[in-house]
Amino acid sequence: MSKLSLKKCQQVEIDAADPFKNDVLDRKANIEILTQFITSYEQSIVLCIDAGWGQGKTTFIKMWQQYLKNQDIPTIYFNAWESDYTDDALIALIGEIGLSIQELVGEDKTTAEKIIGRIYKLVANFTKAAAPTIANLGIKAASGGLISADEISTAFGNLSESLVKEQITQYEESRKTLGSFKEALSELARCYADGDAHKPLVIFIDELDRCRPNFAIEVLEKAKHLFNVDNIVFVLATDKTQLGHSIRAVYGQGLDVNGYLRRFIDFDYLLPSPVKSDYIISLAKQLGLDKYLNRNIFSNYPLIRILKDIISLYNLTLREQEAFCNILNIAVRTHFYILEDNCVTFLFLLNILKLKFPDLYKSLNRDNKSTFVSDVLENINAQYTANNTYYLEFLECMLLSVIRPTSHFSYEETIDDYVRKYNFNDVKKQKLIDSFDMVKGFKITIQDLLTIKNAIEISSSFRLN
């Protein structure tokens, strides 16, 4: 037997010549519209690409970044989550800009290196050590540096006056430094754009919602206040709901998060939900699973259609679909018999339950057959909405047969009981009747379900390359 070769789902490859070559989610139109939008502004703006976890934000902005590069629009990519081990967001941002200068060539690179050198010096002024505080003086007093109460009181008074003067001086210096900092940034942006005033420098900030709350807030503040320079555009890719949780963790649960974020974000763009069923086909092909899925079962009913329907019914995110395919890949290559028609649909179902409803998945055992099946049927029906057009009634019928084998019951009676329990209409009832006719020759037992569960669990023993 040949050696088993396994790999996990890879990130979408962004082709340099054609960034939309592997665009299975049809993002091209969104990117073209957003490009037209940001290039119509000469002022600094902050645009937020808002989408939930696992909806493809990173792939979207990397695809967009390559598209901008092909339009000769300069870009910088900053992964905030990879940088939040630092204590200062400004240092991290400037460091990323400094690294990106290596991509420039010729006179632009030479000029940019001189400008970034000036910026480094200006940033140093923002991070000067604070002056001694009254608390520090108290420590000195306690250690014997000051003796009498009068001396301490006089020293505190003198220190307060000197601190005020020093703080005012520092404020005046910081205002001058900020002006010089922004002027240098503006020069750098022009340098990136090769002198074209109509080309913005686009700085993408990714994974902000995964950062430590304090670091995420600091990135927002620095982007808005220090980088508020003409022709610099910030694009944040984040889940605003999750970012809101981070902000409330710092400022309290009663904070108006939307009001707070409006201080930093000029425009929101809600990333449209992708046609997820197309993505699962792409993943299956990438892993070589398409050869298993491109066959018909249950009277010429396509297996890939069943997969697409159940993925859509449970609304798996793109990231959850990747996890689903990784598990499926290992299961079908190590337990070939679960590809039999009476097992494969349950392989899909149990795999999804493991990802979305782990407690229900774990409850499957030999001693709670009826309870488990009843809970799964209830779970399936909880996913349905009035507009669902998925044809998965055969799955419900097969689950019912686990509890009441066909040799021991009338399927008409079973359907009637099921229809009454969930108050189904006549259309649904007829679908169930048709499905029972379809699956009469297929049997599934509790042992089959346990075998499938074991095949799924094998995936946790593999290390994916």
Side-chain angles (χ1 to χ4, degrees), residues 227-417:
F227 289 80
N228 186 19
V229 175
D230 287 351
N231 276 19
I232 290 185
V233 172
F234 276 95
V235 177
L236 313 176
T238 189
D239 179 351
K240 283 189 72 176
T241 300
Q242 185 59 43
L243 183 59
H245 294 326
S246 294
I247 293 170
R248 285 196 178 100
V250 176
Y251 292 118
Q253 295 303 312
L255 179 72
D256 176 10
V257 170
N258 289 328
Y260 175 82
L261 288 175
R262 279 196 293 271
R263 297 164 53 193
F264 306 106
I265 298 172
D266 299 305
F267 301 99
D268 290 317
Y269 183 79
L270 186 60
L271 192 63
S273 297
V275 181
K276 296 172 185 174
S277 59
D278 293 341
Y279 188 60
I280 197 70
I281 293 174
S282 174
L283 291 177
K285 186 176 181 180
Q286 180 188 133
L287 294 175
L289 295 172
D290 50 331
K291 62 184 178 182
Y292 300 112
L293 303 176
N294 289 332
R295 60 190 178 94
N296 294 337
I297 63 171
F298 303 130
S299 302
N300 296 321
Y301 196 73
L303 188 56
I304 191 66
R305 165 74 185 279
I306 296 172
L307 178 58
K308 289 170 65 175
D309 276 0
I310 199 168
I311 289 288
S312 298
L313 178 67
Y314 278 90
N315 195 30
L316 264 65
T317 67
L318 304 184
R319 201 163 292 176
E320 286 170 340
Q321 288 184 50
E322 291 179 359
F324 174 94
C325 281
N326 283 329
I327 295 172
L328 184 65
N329 186 31
I330 294 174
V332 300
R333 296 177 191 278
T334 56
H335 296 74
F336 295 104
Y337 50 85
I338 63 173
L339 288 171
E340 296 175 1
D341 291 345
N342 63 326
C343 291
V344 67
T345 51
F346 286 94
L347 173 59
F348 297 161
L349 177 63
L350 292 181
N351 195 352
I352 287 177
L353 292 180
K354 178 180 175 67
L355 295 171
K356 301 284 282 191
F357 302 95
D359 289 340
L360 176 56
Y361 169 81
K362 290 176 184 177
S363 71
L364 171 59
N365 61 66
R366 194 180 305 278
D367 299 324
N368 73 336
K369 175 177 71 174
S370 297
T371 302
F372 173 77
V373 171
S374 296
D375 289 345
V376 172
L377 286 168
E378 186 171 337
N379 182 277
I380 290 173
N381 282 284
Q383 312 310 315
Y384 279 111
T385 66
N387 298 322
N388 283 152
T389 58
Y390 313 124
Y391 190 55
L392 294 171
E393 283 75 18
F394 70 89
L395 187 58
E396 296 167 71
C397 291
M398 291 183 71
L399 280 165
L400 289 169
S401 70
V402 174
I403 304 175
R404 300 168 68 178
T406 53
S407 59
H408 299 143
F409 76 96
S410 161
Y411 78 85
E412 293 93 344
E413 180 184 344
T414 301
I415 289 176
D416 286 340
D417 291 344

Side-chain angles (χ1 to χ4, degrees), residues 71-87:
Q71 305 296 315
D72 294 324
I73 296 174
T75 65
I76 294 172
Y77 175 81
F78 174 66
N79 189 314
W81 186 55
E82 290 180 353
S83 302
D84 83 341
Y85 63 88
T86 64
D87 294 327

Side-chain angles (χ1 to χ4, degrees), residues 410-426:
S410 161
Y411 78 85
E412 293 93 344
E413 180 184 344
T414 301
I415 289 176
D416 286 340
D417 291 344
Y418 189 51
V419 167
R420 273 195 301 272
K421 180 176 181 180
Y422 290 100
N423 195 27
F424 292 139
N425 58 27
D426 290 340

